[in-house]
Amino acid sequence: MIGLAVVPVVLATLLIGARGVAAMRSTSDFLVASRRVSPTLNAAAVSGEYLSAASFLGIAGLVVKNGVGALWYPVGFTAGYLLMLVLVAAPMRRTGALTVPDFAEARLGSPRLRRFSAIVVLVIAGLYLVPQFTAAGQVLTLVSGTPYWVGIVVAGAAVSITLALGGMRAATYVQAFQFVLKLVLFIVPAVWLLITVGADTRAEALRPAEYSTFPRPTEVTFRLDTRLEVREPLTVLDAGVPRLLEPGEHVAPGEATWLFPEGAAVPTIAGAALPGSDTWQRPLLDAGNGHPLLATWSILVATALGTMGLPHVIVRFHTSPDGRAARRTAAITVGLLGSFYVFTVVYGLLGGVLLPELYLSGATDTAVVALPSRVDGGTTGDVFTALLTAGAFAAFLATSLGLLLALAGAVAHDLLSESLRRLRLTALLAAGVIMLCALPAVRIDVGAVVTSAFAVAASTFCPMLVLGIWWRGLTARGAFAGMAVGLASSAGVMAAGLVLRPQPGLVALLLGQPALFSVPLAFLTMIAVSLRGRPAPGAEAAMLRLHLDEA
Amino acid sequence: MVSRKRVAVTSPQTRMALATRRGGPGPLTPLDAETLARARGIRRRQLRIALGTLAGAAVLLVGLPVVLGVVPRTFRLADMPIVWLAVAVLPYPVLAVLARLQLRRAERAERR
């Protein structure tokens, strides 16, 4: 029943879309009007589009799984807008380019570069969309007890209906509304949780004890086949049947439910930190590879530099009237995002104390939604679960719609003729493909996979935008080579890591989070290849034009 | 009265996705020598300002993890380890202040 909480979100999205359209009809030209959006409204819209299911659910889940260091993710997500403000916001707006492929052609005059950029858009949007669907599916599974695939289908249906009925038409208002909705639905339950859990739990969350033994008989439903390292012999009840586990490695099959006895030693899982353990409490990221500082830097490089290349974010800056307003929008966005992300720590720390068994079950992405019922088993708990579900779904919907349109746009440019009907069909088709990809992707960490999309954006679009705006010497050939190297050393290396499955260590870290070397490599390639060639005759003027203010 | 011509109402995303293939905002008027010189000056000033803000961001994003790696968790503020506050709360006001400074300086550089 709680799953029905998503219905008002979808309805409100459609309704505001329709109202916004009605309000706009009185003006003679909607297209001009939409460019008069004030920086504050636009910043709320940017934030509304940006706060995805990964932000709403994924980060708190990563805190439960990997520890306090996961709080660096939202720092990078926010810093991304500072770097956008510093390096690209105003000049990018002045090109009149709506997308990175547009920019590539406007600044470097190469249709080939444009097509390649469109392919990179597909990679980034795909990596970003699949985890959104996964998160939505998991949450619906949790709150309504249906199988995972039902959640995916419902999520896909909601997106498709909204797309088909044109719920994104007055997108700026819808997205700004979504931001306020998400902010309220994130902060109010956080405050309620903090008050309701009581002083003891609050103190415990700040001084967590290691989850080394089960404090009570604990039932764990494994999301997937899970490799457990049993430290002391223990007897679990597997569907009521006692089963002795000797010390060593055991595989718990997915969907199985084991009852662990009180006082038994908690088995460990490779690549995750036991909640409350010393590693867990360290404020650096480390998924068991032993290089916390490198891991933290790598995440920060990917998220902070990747934001400027996200296809659904850049277009929002186009609704600013000029470069100066675009810059203001980016600056305000930094503040708005900070006011949201500062509350993730509440869910992360409470999740670590109240739901440590998620560490075993693997369903850490559901921590946020599962917390209210753990604190209050009655109606109040259900109400807050419903509120958080609605917020998570709003996050999923806002990001997915923006990305699907960006993805459909990239496809439509090169493959199909451009009409609104075709575009909508392409977006629906893309939603279908993403749903099919999300069905087997139940294993992924939502926050971690989203970060891989940032890593690709940081290794491809970031160098081209930064060099294109600030260096007259960039050539189309250089940009092409740099982006190809960046794509191979980010997406390619991560794919290789998935296939090779290296032992935990430096190699595993670099294969899993390649931004630390792939971004500098892309920059260097771009510069080196450009230096070997000669920039187009008007290159300097083309670059300088981007820095001229409109006054 | 307003003209009754019907206009397809679309979101920025839809417009972007619909936009025909084109190389930017159409034919550009060439810049004269004076404007070029002014643009060079603005770019140089903006670059200097940008590098300053980037240095501040680097202190936060590169330096703070180093510090947090060595400071023990025993120091607490309002019962929360200070190193936790330093990652969970501190970065957001710092980023907001950096953004504000950058915005002010970048706008001033254009007004000159």
Side-chain angles (χ1 to χ4, degrees), chain A residues 49 207 278 413 470 545, chain B residues 11 13 19 29 43 73 79:
Chain A
E49 189 139 25
R207 298 169 193 274
D278 195 53
H413 270 312
W470 296 99
R545 195 184 288 278
Chain B
S11 79
Q13 281 97 336
T29 46
R43 176 188 161 276
R73 278 187 299 276
D79 211 31

Side-chain angles (χ1 to χ4, degrees), chain A residues 30-31 34 49 74 94-95 99 168 206-207 278 281 297 300 324 327-328 413-414 470 540 545, chain B residues 10-17 19 21 25 29 40 42-43 61-62 73 76 79 84 92 107 110:
Chain A
F30 178 84
L31 303 184
S34 73
E49 189 139 25
R94 288 179 190 132
T95 57
T99 62
M168 292 293 289
L206 294 176
R207 298 169 193 274
D278 195 53
Q281 291 197 35
W297 281 340
L300 285 172
R324 180 169 296 195
R327 203 153 47 201
R328 290 196 168 174
H413 270 312
D414 289 320
W470 296 99
E540 195 194 10
R545 195 184 288 278
Chain B
T10 54
S11 79
Q13 281 97 336
T14 311
R15 277 206 303 288
M16 170 215 76
R21 192 185 305 214
T29 46
R40 275 196 198 98
I42 292 180
R43 176 188 161 276
L61 300 178
V62 180
R73 278 187 299 276
R76 283 168 186 264
D79 211 31
W84 287 9
Y92 302 108
E107 289 193 346
E110 282 175 353

Side-chain angles (χ1 to χ4, degrees), chain A residues 62-453:
Chain A
L62 281 171
V63 171
V64 174
K65 186 174 186 180
N66 291 333
V68 176
L71 292 171
W72 280 109
Y73 280 93
V75 173
F77 293 154
T78 312
Y81 282 90
L82 177 66
L83 295 199
M84 196 147 171
L85 159 72
V86 172
L87 294 169
V88 300
M92 178 82 190
R93 173 65 191 88
R94 288 179 190 132
T95 57
L98 291 160
T99 62
V100 181
D102 269 343
F103 174 86
E105 200 175 357
R107 167 71 176 82
L108 298 163
S110 163
R112 195 172 68 119
L113 191 61
R114 181 201 185 99
R115 280 194 295 277
F116 184 55
S117 303
I119 293 172
V120 179
V121 168
L122 293 190
V123 174
I124 296 171
L127 282 174
Y128 213 115
L129 272 166
V130 172
Q132 306 297 335
F133 275 70
T134 306
Q138 278 186 37
V139 167
L140 292 177
T141 304
L142 177 83
V143 297
S144 34
T146 48
Y148 170 73
W149 69 265
V150 176
I152 296 284
V153 169
V154 171
V159 168
S160 304
I161 291 170
T162 318
L163 267 177
L165 296 183
M168 292 293 289
R169 279 185 294 188
T172 305
Y173 292 97
V174 174
Q175 299 289 21
F177 157 75
Q178 294 260 20
F179 171 68
V180 177
L181 185 71
K182 278 180 261 192
L183 195 64
V184 171
L185 292 182
F186 202 61
I187 293 179
V188 172
V191 174
W192 174 78
L193 278 172
L194 275 180
I195 294 169
T196 315
V197 291
D200 288 351
T201 311
R202 283 200 297 271
E204 206 186 324
L206 294 176
R207 298 169 193 274
E210 188 177 77
Y211 187 56
S212 49
T213 55
F214 291 99
R216 63 187 88 83
T218 304
E219 208 175 62
V220 175
T221 303
F222 296 94
R223 202 152 61 91
L224 305 145
D225 297 358
T226 308
R227 219 170 271 279
L228 303 173
E229 186 68 36
V230 175
R231 295 176 293 175
E232 290 168 22
L234 83 145
T235 307
V236 297
L237 287 180
D238 180 357
V241 184
R243 181 168 164 182
L244 178 69
L245 301 178
E246 295 290 344
E249 212 177 73
H250 296 270
V251 176
E255 313 252 311
T257 302
W258 289 7
L259 182 66
F260 290 86
E262 181 180 340
V266 176
T268 56
I269 295 172
L274 211 50
S277 65
D278 195 53
T279 322
W280 192 89
Q281 291 197 35
R282 186 170 47 192
L284 292 178
L285 263 173
D286 184 9
N289 287 321
H291 295 272
L293 202 53
L294 288 182
T296 309
W297 281 340
S298 197
I299 290 296
L300 285 172
V301 166
T303 49
L305 293 174
T307 304
M308 65 179 76
L310 295 179
H312 63 307
V313 169
I314 284 174
V315 64
R316 284 244 64 96
F317 281 85
H318 192 71
T319 46
S320 301
D322 55 24
R324 180 169 296 195
R327 203 153 47 201
R328 290 196 168 174
T329 297
I332 298 169
T333 305
V334 173
L336 293 183
L337 289 177
S339 63
F340 178 91
Y341 283 133
V342 86
F343 286 89
T344 45
V345 64
V346 174
Y347 293 97
L349 290 182
L350 288 181
V353 174
L354 296 174
L355 301 162
E357 66 271 16
L358 292 182
Y359 162 81
L360 287 176
S361 72
T364 44
D365 285 323
T366 59
V368 168
V369 178
L371 270 171
S373 59
R374 178 56 58 97
V375 171
D376 180 324
T379 320
T380 323
D382 283 349
V383 168
F384 278 97
T385 304
L387 290 181
L388 285 167
T389 305
F393 210 77
F396 156 75
L397 206 58
T399 307
S400 301
L401 289 172
L403 275 164
L404 275 172
L405 275 167
L407 198 156
V411 173
H413 270 312
D414 289 320
L415 301 180
L416 302 163
S417 68
E418 291 121 1
S419 73
L420 195 55
R421 228 177 103 81
R422 275 283 175 79
L423 182 74
R424 225 166 246 167
L425 279 178
T426 316
L428 287 177
L429 206 67
V433 172
I434 298 291
M435 272 169 64
L436 289 180
C437 294
L439 283 175
V442 61
R443 149 147 257 143
I444 60 177
D445 277 323
V446 170
V449 176
V450 163
T451 306
S452 70

